Amino acid sequence: MNWELLGFAFLTGMLLYSAFKVVTTTYITHAAIYLAFTFVALAGFFLMLSANFLAAVQILVYAGAVVALVVFAIMLSQRQDYSGKPIEETRTEKIERTFGSQYWGALPLVIAAGVAAIMIVIYRQVVAAGYWTSEPGPALEDSTVAIANELFTKYLIPFEVVSLVLLAAMIGAIILTKREGQR
Amino acid sequence: MIFDVLIPEIVLTVVALGLLLAAAWQKEGQSGSYLGYLGIVGLLGALVALWPAIGISGEVFDGMLVADELTMFFKALLIVVGILVFLMSIEFVEKNHIPAGEYYALLLFGIVGGMIMVASADLLAFYVGLELLAIASYALTGMLRNDHKSQEAVLKYFLNGALASAIILFGISLFYGLTGTTSIQGLADAFKVGVNGTDSLVMAALVFLMAGFGFKIAAVPFHLWAADTYEGAPTPITAFLSVVSKGAAFVVMMRIFFVGLESLTVNWSAAFAVLAVITMTVGNLAALWQKNIKRMLAYSSIAHAGYIMVGFAAATADGLTGMTYYILAYALTNMGLFAIIVAMSNAGLGEDIDGYKGLSRKNALYAWMMVVFFLSLIGIPPTGGFLGKFLLFKASIGANLVWLALAMAINSAISVGYYYGVVKTMFLNEEEEEEPQKLPTTANIGLVVWITGAMVLVLGILPSFFIELSSQVAKILP
């Protein structure tokens, strides 16, 4: 039994399913919970790649803080009924809504499938051309130290600029959601 | 000291944070104009702070940023354009009850983002600069919160911009996978040894990168968001988007394509030639039908992106010089034009071309300056736009792309159609007999119009100094 492959298959299934549900579920709170599952699955990938620190940050920041904030935002927003109501629909209607769109029919699905096909071809090429070896390199002894060193020496400038990006995003979010006359 | 390179960015960031703090103490109903003037002082300070970095050249901060002629030229241009946007914003922000502190701070953040972009020597640094500029632009586009169009504009801009960023990142990740580096110079080195430039994988990465940039500069067929966004955004922000967001993306493209992907020149120059022709033609044809002047200028700015891409198609030092000069002339021309549009909208005359009826008798300065700016956009002497087009023309002939030069000439002729329509409305409308109410020239807008008008003429009549500066930019070529 190849445990690594099994783990990979499990995480992939979890990631794809929950990401799909994030955009198709009609309960907005469920979407937030599925989002948390997506982040956890992604953390699992980082763990499999021996990026322990990234996995921990992924869980703490994304699955923890970000999802909690999303849920808060849903609850604090104007809508009284934040749980979302189940839509009364037949089975065919549900399939239509999930896989198609109102104006474009199944076009989004076709585009998504096309993009997926292109990605698969590209990644097969990558492996075939031998640019990315399938053999894993030696795992870093201590990835936290390595990341910290890179982040605060070589990548210091982008790191500092990111803090400005976050500030600008925060101001922008407040401005765009605040109504005129409200202070 | 190596930090000398970053002083202008640091100054602007500190001023932006200061504006945010100052706005917190702003009293209810108090005018926010002083925040705008403080921002202008900060920008002037940043312009002076470019001075210490003049002697420094080469990669700095472990190859994240680079200091050279190209960086210096465009940082200075960004700051000057920033000052012009601030000047034309002050009255507009007052009239439309836009929160002044946040507005001016975000504008400064956007300019800092643009400056990081033009100075980046690494794709990672470029990307964070791009995001800073983009996020500031999204928020600024939606600043008219009770205006339906502004909200539509920000949604379209945000979704398209996020998609474009994702596509660019995917392209970068493929290049990283191929070469093991995100450094632009490192890419060039990797293609010289080992990595096969004709590999279909390299082509895929190139396509992703070009498509992503295509969105950012609103090249056809990635332009669909541009008209709605430009129309709905607050008018000074439309000017900002059409000059800063577009220009900074072009400058980064110069460095990535001319330096980093130099070995692939054959591939991308051909693609850019096709994109250039489609973009300028579609932009100009669509502009012919517009009734709203901002929408018309949106399509016109799409067409201008097409003209600028001719420099990439030529892929020579001449092409680079031409693009630099063109961006300079285009930036100043657009700033002047939009300043007048802001003045018109401040006066309550609206944004429809019909609202410009008889402008020549209401305010002769605006009407005549608009003629100068239109001449520059068409490319007729004695304006800067003419010389920019001439340089690009020369570059495309020099690169044996006569058909491209021909397409440019035909397109310039098409563009006369819609610019002339506006001029006709301004001058030749004799219906009303009585003298129309005068439209006074306000100090800030007047200043912008005089500065840009004079510069556009200087660029057309006494160009040698600026051509020399632009040709210095071509030094980035290996």
Side-chain angles (χ1 to χ4, degrees):
Chain A
M1 181 64 92
N2 188 342
W3 289 106
E4 203 175 81
L5 192 66
L6 203 68
F8 182 76
F10 173 71
L11 287 174
T12 311
M14 180 171 161
L15 182 73
L16 288 178
Y17 179 74
S18 47
F20 182 73
K21 286 303 266 187
V22 170
V23 288
T24 55
T25 182
T26 51
Y27 294 92
I28 192 160
T29 39
H30 285 190
I33 295 166
Y34 280 119
L35 194 63
F37 278 120
T38 317
F39 291 145
V40 171
L42 206 57
F45 282 127
F46 288 145
L47 213 54
M48 286 184 72
L49 293 167
S50 320
N52 305 345
F53 178 72
L54 272 188
V57 169
Q58 177 77 17
I59 297 270
L60 283 176
V61 175
Y62 283 91
V66 170
V67 171
L69 276 178
V70 168
V71 174
F72 267 126
I74 293 168
M75 283 164 52
L76 293 176
S77 64
Q78 304 284 323
R79 248 181 98 181
Q80 295 297 311
D81 178 20
Y82 52 81
S83 64
K85 276 203 186 101
I87 298 173
E88 301 267 331
E89 57 188 357
T90 62
R91 205 175 173 75
T92 33
E93 276 170 349
K94 184 170 181 192
I95 291 171
E96 267 174 28
R97 177 177 57 73
T98 311
F99 294 102
S101 75
Q102 203 178 347
Y103 301 111
W104 300 98
L107 189 64
L109 191 69
V110 173
I111 292 175
V115 171
I118 292 172
M119 307 268 263
I120 290 171
V121 170
I122 288 175
Y123 282 124
R124 283 191 66 90
Q125 278 250 322
V126 173
V127 177
Y131 291 126
W132 296 341
T133 50
S134 46
E135 285 298 309
L140 278 175
E141 194 64 18
D142 195 345
S143 61
T144 317
V145 173
I147 288 174
N149 279 337
E150 290 281 294
L151 206 54
F152 291 106
T153 55
K154 188 174 179 202
Y155 295 102
L156 181 66
I157 298 293
F159 178 74
E160 293 296 337
V161 178
V162 164
S163 58
L164 281 185
V165 174
L166 291 176
L167 180 63
M170 204 159 69
I171 299 168
I174 293 169
I175 284 292
L176 292 182
T177 49
K178 210 170 68 171
R179 289 278 151 263
E180 182 110 13
Q182 248 173 279
R183 287 196 70 89
Chain B
M1 239 247 303
I2 212 69
F3 270 97
D4 286 353
V5 179
L6 269 185
I7 294 176
E9 284 90 337
I10 294 172
V11 168
L12 290 184
T13 308
V14 171
V15 173
L17 297 176
L19 289 184
L20 281 175
L21 278 179
W25 270 271
Q26 200 182 348
K27 288 184 191 69
E28 184 88 50
Q30 188 193 352
S31 154
S33 299
Y34 71 99
L35 295 171
Y37 292 112
L38 277 178
I40 293 173
V41 172
L43 282 160
L44 288 171
L47 199 58
V48 175
L50 282 172
W51 197 258
I54 281 178
I56 303 172
S57 81
E59 294 191 351
V60 287
F61 296 110
D62 281 324
M64 279 296 132
L65 300 180
V66 59
D68 56 18
E69 287 81 2
L70 179 113
T71 315
M72 197 47 113
F73 182 93
F74 282 105
K75 272 189 184 178
L77 182 61
L78 277 169
I79 295 174
V80 170
V81 166
I83 294 173
L84 297 174
V85 174
F86 265 74
L87 279 173
M88 71 172 91
S89 293
I90 289 171
E91 207 183 328
F92 189 90
V93 168
E94 279 296 298
K95 277 234 154 75
N96 291 287
H97 308 292
I98 293 174
E102 289 87 341
Y103 178 92
Y104 294 122
L106 283 171
L107 261 181
L108 288 179
F109 282 143
I111 292 163
V112 172
M115 287 166 77
I116 301 275
M117 277 171 82
V118 301
S120 55
D122 190 287
L123 294 175
L124 206 73
F126 142 66
Y127 182 73
V128 290
L130 178 81
E131 277 306 286
L132 183 55
L133 175 55
I135 286 178
S137 310
Y138 303 147
L140 287 166
T141 305
M143 280 277 182
L144 296 172
R145 281 161 301 157
N146 291 345
D147 180 2
H148 193 69
K149 272 188 186 167
S150 176
Q151 300 306 308
E152 181 189 340
V154 65
L155 201 63
K156 283 186 178 164
Y157 189 32
F158 175 69
L159 291 176
N160 276 293
L163 181 67
S165 295
I167 292 174
I168 290 180
L169 267 188
F170 192 65
I172 291 176
S173 78
L174 284 178
F175 275 121
Y176 179 69
L178 285 164
T179 61
T181 176
T182 52
S183 151
I184 293 173
Q185 187 57 49
L187 279 182
D189 298 340
F191 280 113
K192 283 207 185 78
V193 293
V195 179
N196 183 359
T198 55
D199 202 298
S200 57
L201 193 59
V202 179
M203 290 305 114
L206 197 58
V207 167
F208 275 105
L209 208 58
M210 286 183 67
F213 276 118
F215 272 109
K216 291 285 172 195
I217 59 171
V220 177
F222 313 108
H223 67 293
L224 292 167
W225 56 274
D228 288 329
T229 302
Y230 282 28
E231 186 189 346
T235 312
I237 298 309
T238 311
F240 182 79
L241 294 181
S242 76
V243 172
V244 174
S245 304
K246 195 172 274 204
F250 266 119
V251 177
V252 172
M253 283 164 72
M254 287 181 194
R255 207 187 289 280
I256 292 180
F257 288 101
F258 278 89
V259 179
L261 305 177
E262 192 233 346
S263 315
L264 311 177
T265 304
V266 188
N267 303 303
W268 54 255
S269 65
F272 273 119
V274 177
L275 272 183
V277 172
I278 303 175
T279 304
M280 60 176 95
T281 313
V282 171
N284 276 323
L285 289 179
L288 286 173
W289 313 112
Q290 303 308 323
K291 299 260 182 287
N292 178 302
I293 195 154
K294 275 161 83 182
R295 232 180 146 74
M296 187 195 96
L297 285 176
Y299 282 109
S300 138
S301 102
I302 291 173
H304 283 279
Y307 299 139
I308 297 173
M309 275 192 281
V310 169
F312 285 105
T316 53
D318 275 351
L320 207 53
T321 310
M323 280 194 285
T324 308
Y325 198 87
Y326 200 98
I327 291 174
L328 174 66
Y330 165 82
L332 293 168
T333 311
N334 251 21
M335 280 297 139
L337 254 182
F338 275 107
I340 296 173
I341 297 175
V342 171
M344 296 291 283
S345 112
N346 284 347
L349 290 167
E351 291 158 0
D352 284 341
I353 294 175
D354 284 343
Y356 287 72
K357 245 179 213 162
L359 180 63
S360 63
R361 286 186 290 164
K362 288 180 197 156
N363 188 322
L365 170 71
Y366 289 169
W368 282 104
M369 280 300 190
M370 265 185 114
V371 173
V372 171
F373 297 137
F374 282 151
L375 287 180
S376 176
L377 287 182
I378 299 169
I380 293 176
T383 55
F386 162 71
L387 223 83
K389 271 213 179 93
F390 174 76
L391 290 174
L392 284 175
F393 213 79
K394 203 178 100 191
S396 61
I397 303 264
N400 281 324
L401 292 165
V402 181
W403 60 278
L404 198 57
L406 217 67
M408 261 180 94
I410 295 171
N411 264 289
S412 296
I414 298 174
S415 72
V416 175
Y418 53 88
Y419 295 130
Y420 177 70
V422 182
V423 173
K424 202 176 82 178
T425 321
M426 289 192 304
F427 282 90
L428 300 178
N429 234 298
E430 314 266 343
E431 296 162 23
E432 14 187 351
E433 285 299 308
E434 80 270 24
E435 192 66 12
Q437 206 187 348
K438 289 275 183 223
L439 174 70
T441 310
T442 54
N444 292 332
I445 304 273
L447 191 59
V448 175
V449 171
W450 276 113
I451 292 174
T452 51
M455 278 304 295
V456 166
L457 289 174
V458 166
L459 284 174
I461 298 167
L462 300 164
S464 49
F465 172 67
F466 291 98
I467 290 184
E468 175 59 27
L469 274 185
S470 306
S471 61
Q472 292 284 317
V473 165
K475 276 193 189 163
I476 62 163
L477 287 175

